[in-house]
Amino acid sequence: MKSFRRHRRLRQNRGIRRMVREHHVSPDDFIYPIFAVEGKGLKTEVPSMPGVFHFSLDRLNEEVDEAVEAGISSVILFGVPEDKDACGSAAQAEDGIVQRAIAQVKERYPDLYVMADTCLCQYTDHGHCGVVKDGQVVNDESLHILAQTAVSQAQAGADMIAPSNMMDGFVLAIREALDRAGYTQIPILSYAVKYASAFYGPFRDAAHSTPQFGDRRTYQMDPANAREALKEAETDVDEGADMLMVKPGMAYMDIIHRLRESFHLPIAAYNVSGEYAMVKAAAAKGWIDEQAVVLEMLTGLKRAGADLILTYHAKEAARWLKEGE
């Protein structure tokens, strides 16, 4: 008589479980977001994101030092300017907050891989990701500002440009501008598939980028759409993207998987602020084991097909992984 299969044989102890584990999470997988702000002596916690802070430039090194010590090899810099206007002109300023932060970090850690978020929402007084005319976000006029912003970030020393604005043609506009300026070797991590998600609330607190009118549904994707994600990604690949981002991550693991099956470029997942805040809130109540949940969540993103994970948990997760070695 044929016996039943004993799958548990390969689960008997930690050694065998580690040997047959199909997906592994490493600090090398993480991109750590850091928020730079104007001012002096500032390390101000974002109320909706426990453990995430705004840093003035004179204290920015403290955070970068911690990230490097934890084993993080890549960071992405977001900036909150002092002055905003309708066109987000501070985004492309040579002495802009992100540009100065990039230069400072690269001077201290030349081998740390520094990415620059390329969007206008933090820099516009209306909070939208492009230029607004007659109450509408206009696409083509926004592209020039985004392209010049990318060039200024590259000039400051950014290793990679990560545009998150979701304007049509933004990858092509940025690629052409970088190439014209001589930055042909600077890659683009495109936020190719960015949904109009309810999970972004805490980030908008951190970046001071809540739209002052309307919403972003005319340029960010409908959460109900999956086939459209492939169309968006294919367009960005054709326009010159070197890597593709899916944002958010947890609620869109099926989209990460679809992109992994369809494209041969590296895929990044953004474990966004709302996902982070929910874990932190539940952990503070004692309802979950934070370490176990975070590592399971990050493993899930890798299993879905992500090569890289942009996550606010990066420092803690890197330390936990090191302790578990």
Side-chain angles (χ1 to χ4, degrees):
M1 185 176 68
K2 186 175 182 179
S3 63
F4 56 84
R5 297 187 178 185
R6 296 189 180 274
H7 299 293
R8 292 178 57 192
R9 289 172 181 154
L10 300 185
R11 303 172 193 156
Q12 291 302 300
N13 55 57
R14 185 170 180 265
I16 189 62
R17 289 194 298 271
R18 287 172 65 96
M19 286 172 63
V20 300
R21 186 164 294 156
E22 298 175 28
H23 298 91
H24 297 266
V25 177
S26 160
D28 289 335
D29 301 328
F30 301 150
I31 304 166
Y32 183 49
I34 299 177
F35 294 91
V37 298
E38 301 285 2
K40 289 190 175 181
L42 299 179
K43 180 184 177 181
T44 309
E45 190 169 38
V46 178
S48 55
M49 298 178 71
V52 174
F53 296 84
H54 288 141
F55 291 92
S56 54
L57 294 182
D58 59 334
R59 298 199 63 180
L60 181 63
N61 288 347
E62 299 172 26
E63 180 73 339
V64 180
D65 289 349
E66 284 190 18
V68 171
E69 186 177 351
I72 303 299
S73 58
S74 177
V75 299
I76 184 167
L77 294 172
F78 296 89
V80 182
E82 196 166 38
D83 298 312
K84 305 187 179 193
D85 61 28
C87 296
S89 55
Q92 59 182 305
E94 183 178 339
D95 62 347
I97 183 63
V98 162
Q99 286 79 357
R100 283 179 287 144
I102 292 167
Q104 179 175 317
V105 173
K106 290 301 293 183
E107 181 178 8
R108 188 171 182 85
Y109 291 106
D111 294 331
L112 182 66
Y113 202 83
V114 176
M115 302 183 183
D117 174 73
T118 308
C119 195
L120 301 182
C121 59
Q122 301 104 291
Y123 302 92
T124 55
D125 53 16
H126 46 71
H128 280 286
C129 302
V131 176
V132 171
K133 285 192 174 182
D134 299 323
Q136 300 293 321
V137 178
V138 292
N139 192 92
D140 296 8
E141 293 179 42
S142 302
L143 296 179
H144 176 72
I145 299 174
L146 291 163
Q148 291 307 115
T149 298
V151 170
S152 73
Q153 293 167 338
Q155 290 172 339
D159 296 297
M160 179 178 283
I161 301 302
S164 58
N165 54 87
M166 287 296 284
M167 297 295 111
D168 290 337
F170 71 97
V171 172
L172 181 60
I174 289 172
R175 182 72 272 157
E176 289 181 343
L178 289 172
D179 290 352
R180 283 195 304 271
Y183 296 106
T184 58
Q185 298 304 311
I186 298 293
I188 296 173
L189 165 56
S190 170
Y191 286 60
V193 183
K194 182 176 180 181
Y195 285 90
S197 171
F199 284 97
Y200 300 152
F203 175 88
R204 292 173 183 174
D205 288 343
H208 298 173
S209 61
T210 302
Q212 298 303 298
F213 66 90
D215 54 41
R216 295 176 178 158
R217 294 181 183 275
T218 65
Y219 45 101
Q220 294 178 0
M221 283 181 53
D222 186 336
N225 291 359
R227 293 190 301 271
E228 186 183 9
L230 298 179
K231 181 171 65 174
E232 285 278 1
E234 183 178 15
T235 296
D236 289 3
V237 171
D238 290 343
E239 292 183 1
D242 299 281
M243 298 168 59
L244 303 172
M245 177 90 82
V246 176
K247 180 180 181 183
M250 293 302 298
Y252 298 87
M253 283 204 218
D254 61 316
I255 304 301
I256 296 170
H257 184 69
R258 286 185 185 222
L259 262 65
R260 175 72 291 145
E261 293 293 298
S262 300
F263 301 100
H264 296 296
L265 297 184
I267 305 296
Y270 197 143
N271 178 211
V272 297
S273 59
E275 297 165 347
Y276 172 88
M278 289 191 298
V279 169
K280 285 291 184 180
K285 289 286 189 180
W287 294 340
I288 61 171
D289 178 331
E290 181 178 358
Q291 177 176 336
V293 166
V294 168
L295 294 180
E296 182 177 340
M297 181 171 62
L298 298 175
T299 301
L301 291 169
K302 288 294 297 285
R303 190 184 65 247
D307 300 291
L308 299 167
I309 304 170
L310 200 159
T311 178
Y312 304 95
H313 295 290
K315 278 196 310 182
E316 293 171 311
R319 292 178 183 132
W320 294 331
L321 291 167
K322 190 181 295 185
E323 290 167 3
E325 289 178 352

